[in-house]
Amino acid sequence: MHVHPWHTLLGPLPADTTPQRAAVGTPEILARPEGAAIAGWEQLTLLLSAGVAGLRAIQVVLDATGQPIAASDLVLYRSAAPSQTGGSDAVPLSHVRQESIGGRFEEDGTFRGTCWRSEATEPPDDDELKWQMTPSEPTAADVAGPADVGGGSLATSTVARPWGAGVSRRSEH
């Protein structure tokens, strides 16, 4: 069981969260001719810390009209792992699991992306983690449209909530 209800992939977000809003390109890139391709694009990011238990990171990219064009949701879990050495000289290890979904929204509203589940146990000698990574296709429930306000979908978790229908300036025209 998670201490925070939001510490789950595509889970509900706390009501008091506010995403950070920033331009996709730096001022230097936007000043160059090729910067015109991303002029007006913004990224909304939300980082939630669960302390030593992990984190959640959500990102939505909006085009110049305010339409969501890409989104991702990532949750990292960290927990105690069984000791590899046993006895009184046992070294506490951590098991790390990461779940994510990310991709792009097509003009017809469909989502094209990938889910990932990655797991590793932190080695006692500070070596690099050896990840086991498994990709999968998002389910229909994962990518349900904003009308599915019951939650649990990429669109409702990362776009409709907490940024609401007002995220899309296109809907205001």
Side-chain angles (χ1 to χ4, degrees):
M1 182 171 172
H2 306 291
V3 175
H4 304 286
W6 53 259
H7 192 210
T8 185
L9 191 66
L10 302 172
L13 298 174
D16 62 347
T17 57
T18 303
Q20 297 295 313
R21 186 179 289 260
V24 169
T26 64
E28 295 80 19
I29 289 174
L30 294 172
R32 297 193 315 235
E34 58 269 20
I38 59 169
W41 288 22
E42 294 181 298
Q43 60 185 350
L44 306 175
T45 56
L46 184 62
L47 302 174
L48 301 168
S49 173
V52 297
L55 59 86
R56 183 166 177 202
I58 299 169
Q59 181 178 27
V60 178
V61 177
L62 308 174
D63 68 13
T65 69
Q67 186 68 28
I69 58 172
S72 67
D73 191 357
L74 175 140
V75 181
L76 180 97
Y77 304 98
R78 188 170 181 270
S79 60
S83 172
Q84 301 293 315
T85 60
S88 62
D89 63 342
V91 176
L93 303 176
S94 294
H95 182 76
V96 182
R97 186 176 87 237
Q98 180 176 298
E99 298 175 4
S100 65
I101 181 172
R104 70 180 186 272
F105 292 102
E106 301 291 348
E107 286 195 25
D108 66 0
T110 58
F111 179 78
R112 303 280 184 242
T114 304
C115 294
W116 285 92
R117 183 180 175 113
S118 306
E119 296 191 56
T121 298
E122 294 178 339
D125 52 7
D126 288 331
D127 280 345
E128 190 171 319
L129 295 177
K130 292 181 174 76
W131 290 96
Q132 294 180 339
M133 298 181 274
T134 307
S136 64
E137 293 290 319
T139 66
D142 291 337
V143 296
D148 177 21
V149 293
S153 76
L154 184 66
T156 58
S157 287
T158 62
V159 178
R161 176 74 190 95
W163 302 290
V167 162
S168 176
R169 290 186 289 265
R170 184 177 292 170
S171 66
E172 297 172 7
H173 297 311

